[in-house]
Amino acid sequence: MSLKRMNKKRYTTPCGIDEELWLDFSEGELDPSLSQELEAHLAGCGDCQKAKEGWSRLGSLLRSDKLEMPHDLYFKKLENQIMSKVSTTQIEPLHPEFAFQARQYLVPVAAVFVLIMSSVFVGLHRSPVPSEKSVPGLTLDERYMAETVAGDPSVLNEVLISNQDEHEMLLDVATRRLDLMNGKKSEETIEQMR
Amino acid sequence: MKADFDLVREIKAGKAEVFGELVRRHQRALFRLALRFCRDEGTAEDVVQESFVKAYQKLNSFEERSSFKSWLYRIAINTAKNKLRSGDHLDVDVEDVVLSVGSQAQSDLESQELSRLLGDEVKKLPERQREALTLRIYEDLSFQEIATIMGCPYDTAKANFRHAVLRLKKTLSIKGIDKLADWNLSDGQEISNSTNFSEPDGD
Ligand SMILES: [Zn+2]
């Protein structure tokens, strides 16, 4: 399945290094060996220096914004307010009614569970491609797309169990895939430069 | 100085007054975080108060799997989001949540202008991307900590940050601001054959 229609532009520096690598480099997010190789390249490449400085500058521009914080007295007052509220409340016991209530609902919950499981089971044997439909909010196409990009179904499943919506999930698998590709691409590029 | 975990245990054992020490330790950081999200001191103060009270009430569900601070941040971010969504506050709209930028005078005009423009762009980021960006840039947290706070996998935290920064950069480029920032990347080449998703709009 072609993903080209969904391409977004990615840029390399003129020497062929994926520009986003310099973001990871600036954030200290690369493994040491790749980081060292890039550092060595940086010394002799003006374009990459420019790209790297661009990310660093964006980071420091964002970081340069300091908030004006209230005076100490303000926090003393805030602390008092919080503590006076705390004094009128209590630490809640952990699931206090659970033991009692759980038993009460155990039988109906179990019955519903069995019903759901049997309908899923029946469904599985009725249609050749039903499992994809069991993922809420994800169309078949999206699922195939995600699986293609994730490459590995276990990667996809790991992502799906977290509490994200499908857009985040797609972003997530795509980024993982890209991380792998970025790594390979830059290794190749560095290899070629030697 | 006692560790947060020790204080938490003392509070759970009945010494409620020890909670004051946790408040003193973390209220400034929490206030700063809330202010980034809410832009407004009054709302930020409400968020801090409510977060601490919630944290106290729910202390038994804190299982020491993360730092107390991470747990507290998570409560604060959720509280801030709920507050803005519920329309609890008149001046701030959830669609208009902003990481407050530009409150302190910059040394030169150019940086000031850039900061303001960046601030405008930051507030347009999808919620999760804004969260990741705030925690990384303004709170200087590791992606592992950010993942804990956002309640998502490490890669998701990183992906959200990356997309936030990429989007900011892209907007700066489109507006020609990268030149102003002495960062002209338009002479780079597009990587061909990259199978890549376009960036989703987030929430
Ligand atoms: Zn280069």
Side-chain angles (χ1 to χ4, degrees):
Chain A
M1 171 172 194
S2 171
L3 298 167
K4 271 204 160 175
R5 63 195 168 88
M6 298 186 77
N7 273 5
K8 99 182 157 170
K9 287 185 175 180
R10 291 170 63 78
Y11 290 97
T12 62
T13 51
C15 63
I17 291 186
D18 183 350
E19 205 197 88
E20 281 179 34
L21 267 184
W22 294 114
L23 167 63
D24 289 339
F25 182 86
S26 306
E27 290 292 317
E29 281 295 314
L30 293 176
D31 50 81
S33 61
L34 182 56
S35 192
Q36 266 173 16
E37 285 188 84
L38 283 171
E39 208 163 339
H41 171 77
L42 196 64
C45 182
D47 293 312
C48 283
Q49 279 170 22
K50 217 168 162 185
K52 188 227 143 199
E53 274 156 25
W55 291 120
S56 306
R57 183 157 158 79
L58 181 58
S60 52
L61 259 176
L62 285 165
R63 288 184 169 96
S64 73
D65 175 60
K66 306 279 182 238
L67 288 177
E68 274 172 43
M69 291 288 278
H71 197 267
D72 283 353
L73 216 62
Y74 172 88
F75 285 108
K76 187 69 217 160
K77 213 176 107 192
L78 185 58
E79 182 197 332
N80 290 339
Q81 283 167 347
I82 293 167
M83 289 311 286
S84 85
K85 281 188 182 166
V86 161
S87 68
T88 62
T89 185
Q90 277 183 346
I91 302 177
E92 293 170 7
L94 208 52
H95 310 304
E97 317 85 9
F98 181 76
F100 172 71
Q101 282 184 354
R103 252 176 245 135
Q104 206 175 350
Y105 295 114
L106 206 58
V107 173
V109 165
V112 170
F113 180 73
V114 166
L115 269 174
I116 291 171
M117 286 314 286
S118 18
S119 57
V120 167
F121 187 75
V122 169
L124 275 170
H125 286 82
R126 218 177 250 169
S127 155
V129 283
S131 62
E132 286 83 352
K133 283 189 172 162
S134 64
V135 180
L138 213 59
T139 65
L140 272 179
D141 275 350
E142 283 170 329
R143 173 86 185 185
Y144 284 138
M145 207 148 57
E147 274 177 351
T148 311
V149 174
D152 179 358
S154 69
V155 172
L156 183 63
N157 286 334
E158 195 190 318
V159 178
L160 278 173
I161 53 168
S162 61
N163 55 347
Q164 302 162 51
D165 63 32
E166 55 271 43
H167 289 299
E168 280 182 339
M169 192 277 301
L170 289 172
L171 164 70
D172 202 2
V173 284
T175 306
R176 259 182 223 229
R177 191 68 176 163
L178 274 174
D179 278 345
L180 290 173
M181 281 167 39
N182 286 349
K184 267 193 200 134
K185 175 91 189 163
S186 54
E187 278 161 28
E188 281 166 22
T189 311
I190 290 168
E191 206 55 51
Q192 277 165 14
M193 285 183 313
R194 282 188 178 141
Chain B
M1 194 170 86
K2 281 182 185 169
D4 284 357
F5 285 161
D6 295 326
L7 297 179
V8 168
R9 280 174 215 143
E10 284 180 25
I11 300 159
K12 281 181 182 175
K15 288 188 184 173
E17 70 281 2
V18 175
F19 194 72
E21 176 58 26
L22 287 175
V23 174
R24 280 191 291 282
R25 278 184 195 181
H26 300 294
Q27 62 176 350
R28 282 176 178 77
L30 214 59
F31 183 86
R32 198 176 55 221
L33 183 72
L35 198 54
R36 291 275 180 204
F37 273 88
C38 306
R39 198 174 36 170
D40 163 273
E41 263 190 30
T43 315
E45 184 179 314
D46 290 347
V47 168
V48 173
Q49 288 203 25
E50 281 176 36
S51 303
F52 272 115
V53 173
K54 265 185 221 167
Y56 180 76
Q57 289 168 338
K58 303 284 176 195
L59 209 58
N60 277 329
S61 60
F62 174 61
E63 292 168 333
E64 303 187 8
R65 280 182 299 183
S66 68
S67 68
F68 179 74
K69 188 178 170 183
S70 294
W71 187 66
L72 203 57
Y73 271 27
R74 192 171 178 171
I75 294 175
I77 288 177
N78 289 332
T79 306
K81 286 199 286 196
N82 289 340
K83 207 163 198 52
L84 297 175
R85 284 211 184 92
S86 70
D88 214 356
H89 194 267
L90 291 173
D91 302 339
V92 188
D93 187 303
V94 70
E95 296 304 321
D96 195 30
V97 180
V98 62
L99 305 176
S100 184
V101 169
S103 51
Q104 199 180 58
Q106 300 275 346
S107 55
D108 64 352
L109 261 176
E110 196 179 81
S111 292
Q112 203 173 13
E113 178 64 5
L114 269 174
S115 234
R116 192 187 62 78
L117 286 163
L118 264 180
D120 287 347
E121 295 310 319
V122 166
K123 76 175 155 188
K124 292 178 198 156
L125 292 172
E127 193 171 87
R128 303 280 282 174
Q129 292 183 18
R130 266 194 324 259
E131 271 177 58
L133 187 87
T134 318
L135 295 169
R136 177 71 181 181
I137 295 283
Y138 303 116
E139 297 300 320
D140 205 22
L141 299 178
S142 71
F143 286 111
Q144 197 52 63
E145 290 172 299
I146 296 170
T148 307
I149 293 165
M150 289 176 64
C152 66
Y154 173 92
D155 287 320
T156 312
K158 208 176 148 184
N160 277 296
F161 171 77
R162 173 196 281 265
H163 280 278
V165 177
L166 283 176
R167 187 186 270 218
L168 290 177
K169 195 218 115 185
K170 196 170 143 197
T171 317
L172 292 184
S173 295
I174 289 166
K175 293 189 173 175
I177 300 164
D178 53 334
K179 290 184 183 71
L180 189 63
D182 194 23
W183 180 21
N184 186 356
L185 288 156
S186 52
D187 48 3
Q189 293 140 23
E190 191 180 338
I191 296 176
S192 53
N193 300 328
S194 72
T195 46
N196 187 7
F197 283 107
S198 62
E199 182 195 5
D201 291 332
D203 34 332

